[in-house]
Amino acid sequence: MVSEDLRIDSVVTLPFYASAHAQPGQHLGPSLPRLGLGVYKNEDPKPAVLAALKHGYRHIDTARMYRNEQAVGQAVRESGVPRGQVFVTSKVDSKEHGSDVTPKAIEDSVQKLGLGHIDLLLIHSPLSGKEKRLEAWKAFIAARDKGQVHNIGVSNYGVKHLEEIREAGLETPSVNQLELHPFCQQKEIVEYCQKHGIVAEAYTPLIRGGWNDTIVDIGKKYNKDPAQVLVRWSLQRGFVPLPKSANPERVVSNAQVYDFELSTEDLKTLDSLDRGKEGSVTWNPVDAA
């Protein structure tokens, strides 16, 4: 039997702050759609975004580093889906961390997206160092309080970086976006996030197509392709997967995961594929100084 609480319109509650600046009908925290479309390395994301929104996605994940915020904003406006029903995430890279530069970067992203506000803004990585990281986080809090963004979080943060925020007496991030898939399960970080009420988002949930026979064989049992198995694994493990594709057909296919449920045995088999840090297929800078 398929879990009734997992549908394409399922959401997860963000545990902390929602902006006091919200207008009626806006789709902001505490509701984060459980499935999102990633647009990394997609110079023309409009076809993918339009296909996603047409077929039920309500969560788009971009970043300043991707250099496609403007196109994402255009696609959201052209989609016909009310702005209040679309949750848009962006991120500020380490080169723009600091009390002097982060506010300017945030304002620039708000303008490029052209959607009035950003639903979720993340610190893209911890590579800027402790001082700059904390300055950026304080700027994020200020931007949230001003209504420029409605929810704030981090990406690629290890336990050390999350503890840094707690020790500074600052509010806990709502989200930590990590490389998460069966080969790289980041268990220590995920356990910390669960303990502290931080939602774990999964980027590169499809392992960039680097599937092994185990994943392929499990897919055959359910008449599903490996990508669908991996998205379903991520959902059943309580993550918020962000599968990426520039191909509209694949965007639609990646979301066709709500008519089956992985058995306990198959979940355990996929869990057993964890190779720790050796299983990473991205930059994964969770150990940054």
Side-chain angles (χ1 to χ4, degrees):
M1 180 177 294
V2 177
S3 299
E4 293 183 1
D5 61 340
L6 282 179
R7 305 182 306 272
I8 197 166
D9 59 351
S10 293
V11 298
V12 61
T13 299
L14 290 177
F16 294 101
Y17 302 86
S19 170
H21 298 265
Q23 300 299 315
Q26 284 184 335
H27 185 161
L28 70 156
S31 295
L32 170 68
R34 285 288 307 274
L35 177 69
L37 172 70
V39 295
Y40 175 57
K41 285 191 174 179
N42 188 343
E43 294 181 1
D44 180 17
K46 287 179 66 175
V49 173
L50 289 170
L53 294 176
K54 180 179 179 180
H55 291 275
Y57 287 76
R58 291 296 181 264
H59 179 182
I60 310 298
D61 182 89
T62 183
R64 291 180 61 74
M65 182 190 293
Y66 303 169
R67 301 184 183 278
N68 58 17
E69 289 173 308
Q70 187 171 3
V72 166
Q74 290 173 348
V76 171
R77 291 192 298 274
E78 293 174 13
S79 70
V81 178
R83 170 65 182 100
Q85 296 179 18
V86 184
F87 195 103
V88 177
T89 297
S90 194
K91 313 177 196 74
V92 177
D93 185 38
S94 59
K95 295 177 181 178
E96 296 180 304
H97 293 175
S99 57
D100 53 341
V101 294
T102 301
K104 297 176 184 177
I106 295 171
E107 176 61 27
D108 186 58
S109 283
V110 171
Q111 294 301 319
K112 283 179 175 172
L113 283 162
L115 299 173
H117 67 275
I118 300 171
D119 296 284
L120 174 64
L121 189 67
L122 306 179
I123 291 180
H124 203 150
S125 81
L127 292 172
S128 57
K130 180 178 180 178
E131 181 180 355
K132 295 294 185 182
R133 287 193 292 264
L134 290 176
E135 288 180 8
W137 188 239
K138 291 174 183 177
F140 273 39
I141 294 170
R144 193 275 320 283
D145 291 345
K146 286 165 54 178
Q148 292 176 296
V149 303
H150 285 173
N151 300 277
I152 54 177
V154 296
S155 181
N156 296 297
Y157 266 41
V159 171
K160 179 185 79 169
H161 310 122
L162 295 166
E163 276 290 287
E164 230 171 53
I165 293 173
R166 186 188 65 80
E167 291 168 358
L170 301 172
E171 66 184 63
T172 303
S174 293
V175 166
N176 188 12
Q177 187 180 122
L178 300 161
E179 178 181 352
L180 285 171
H181 48 75
F183 297 161
C184 182
Q185 297 178 35
Q186 313 262 32
K187 291 180 179 178
E188 180 185 9
I189 304 173
V190 168
E191 287 174 6
Y192 182 97
C193 290
Q194 291 171 339
K195 179 179 178 181
H196 293 273
I198 301 168
V199 174
E201 289 189 333
Y203 74 76
T204 322
L206 308 184
I207 328 178
R208 294 183 172 171
W211 311 316
N212 65 7
D213 290 343
T214 299
I215 296 169
V216 173
D217 289 344
I218 288 175
K220 290 176 181 177
K221 288 177 57 177
Y222 299 92
N223 196 27
K224 292 293 181 178
D225 65 36
Q228 292 164 333
V229 168
L230 291 167
V231 172
R232 185 72 201 191
W233 175 85
S234 192
L235 288 167
Q236 287 186 227
R237 281 294 175 234
F239 305 143
V240 175
L242 304 167
K244 167 197 170 295
S245 179
N247 182 328
E249 292 182 359
R250 292 300 305 170
V251 169
V252 175
S253 173
N254 289 341
Q256 293 173 340
V257 298
Y258 300 98
D259 56 352
F260 79 109
E261 182 174 9
L262 294 168
S263 68
T264 300
E265 179 183 356
D266 288 331
L267 282 174
K268 289 181 179 178
T269 297
L270 291 168
D271 290 347
S272 73
L273 300 178
D274 190 24
R275 301 204 296 261
K277 294 171 187 174
E278 295 300 316
S280 171
V281 296
T282 75
W283 62 334
N284 193 32
V286 295
D287 293 326

